[in-house]
Amino acid sequence: AQSVAQPEDQVNVAEGNPLTVKCTYSVSGNPYLFWYVQYPNRGLQFLLKYITGDNLVKGSYGFEAEFNKSQTSFHLKKPSALVSDSALYFCAVRDYGTDKLIFGTGTRLQVFP
Amino acid sequence: NAGVTQTPKFQVLKTGQSMTLQCAQDMNHEYMSWYRQDPGMGLRLIHYSVGAGITDQGEVPNGYNVSRSTTEDFPLRLLSAAPSQTSVYFCATTLRTGSNEKLFFGSGTQLSVL
């Protein structure tokens, strides 16, 4: 069965500093990996995905993520954090050949001015 | 384009009552799903559908029923509400074409079961 783990409940970072939000996954086949963001009192929005191709994926709002097959990780990164990046971030995985998209427990990112 | 429309936005039920959460989409996406969001638990998949007439269970299906008679609608039924079903519910559709895959979420239904 597929699963995804976000080991950090909260990540705190100063504005202008780089940020990383961690995600590891477990699948039996090839993974389809996603990051979604939930801003306060707003719905969930797509940030980026990895399905195939380059291991470094670029997405919305300057975010990127690196697929690492050997470490089964898909960490979300941004070179310079903004206060407006403060939100709840979800990693998700779908095992190739299945239709279930499973989400992690979420990581709250707090960017301080 | 309205996208994914969920109704109601808020609902309070008494234990044992039944209700249906509505979800409608106008994007002609084949895939639809229901998630619940609880603090510390993230988003958990309840049921999903890969097309009209086809539904399957997710991670936490107990206490919920779904049907998919049309591409547009995917209602979620609570047969006998329990306090453990207090949650925020999200309906989503999936655009899946080739290497492009993306979920579109509704705005959510906040449900309280007393």
Side-chain angles (χ1 to χ4, degrees):
Chain A
Q2 68 217 67
S3 65
V4 60
Q6 293 182 244
E8 303 152 317
D9 291 336
Q10 180 154 331
V11 170
N12 299 317
V13 63
E15 188 174 33
N17 282 2
L19 70 88
T20 299
V21 182
K22 295 179 180 177
C23 172
T24 59
Y25 66 90
S26 174
V27 297
S28 55
N30 291 324
Y32 290 11
L33 294 155
F34 305 83
W35 278 100
Y36 285 82
V37 60
Q38 185 177 36
Y39 296 104
N41 301 317
R42 288 167 61 177
L44 290 124
Q45 300 176 23
F46 172 83
L47 267 183
L48 51 79
K49 71 176 187 305
Y50 171 84
I51 292 180
T52 186
D54 290 339
N55 290 343
L56 184 63
V57 178
K58 294 189 183 297
S60 307
Y61 312 121
F63 283 93
E64 59 189 28
E66 186 168 10
F67 169 63
N68 188 317
K69 188 172 184 177
S70 62
Q71 297 185 4
T72 61
S73 67
F74 190 56
H75 301 330
L76 181 70
K77 300 181 180 184
K78 188 173 182 181
S80 179
L82 299 172
V83 172
S84 57
D85 293 330
S86 298
L88 186 56
Y89 290 80
F90 290 98
C91 182
V93 66
R94 180 169 76 83
D95 201 348
Y96 177 79
T98 76
D99 292 300
K100 291 184 183 180
L101 181 65
I102 302 301
F103 282 80
T105 51
T107 298
R108 187 163 299 282
L109 174 66
Q110 194 73 44
V111 182
F112 296 95
Chain B
N1 261 0
V4 182
T5 303
Q6 283 185 241
T7 55
K9 292 191 183 301
F10 301 95
Q11 183 71 50
V12 179
L13 293 177
K14 294 181 180 178
T15 298
Q17 286 184 315
S18 63
M19 79 158 296
T20 299
L21 278 63
Q22 302 291 346
C23 177
Q25 57 123 340
D26 61 0
M27 296 179 284
N28 203 33
H29 292 166
E30 292 295 325
Y31 299 87
M32 297 187 74
S33 48
W34 276 101
Y35 290 87
R36 59 178 288 176
Q37 183 177 11
D38 302 288
M41 311 275 302
L43 289 161
R44 291 181 291 171
L45 180 64
I46 305 172
H47 285 284
Y48 64 101
S49 169
V50 300
I54 306 169
T55 63
D56 207 343
Q57 295 181 348
E59 301 171 275
V60 287
N62 291 343
Y64 307 95
N65 277 0
V66 291
S67 58
R68 186 92 181 273
S69 55
T70 66
T71 298
E72 293 77 20
D73 299 298
F74 190 43
L76 179 72
R77 296 183 184 85
L78 282 70
L79 303 176
S80 178
S84 60
Q85 294 179 303
T86 293
S87 187
V88 180
Y89 291 84
F90 288 98
C91 176
T93 70
T94 303
L95 169 67
R96 192 185 293 179
T97 56
S99 63
N100 190 18
E101 182 165 332
K102 181 177 176 179
L103 260 69
F104 295 83
F105 286 88
S107 57
T109 296
Q110 191 167 317
L111 175 68
S112 294
V113 183
L114 306 177

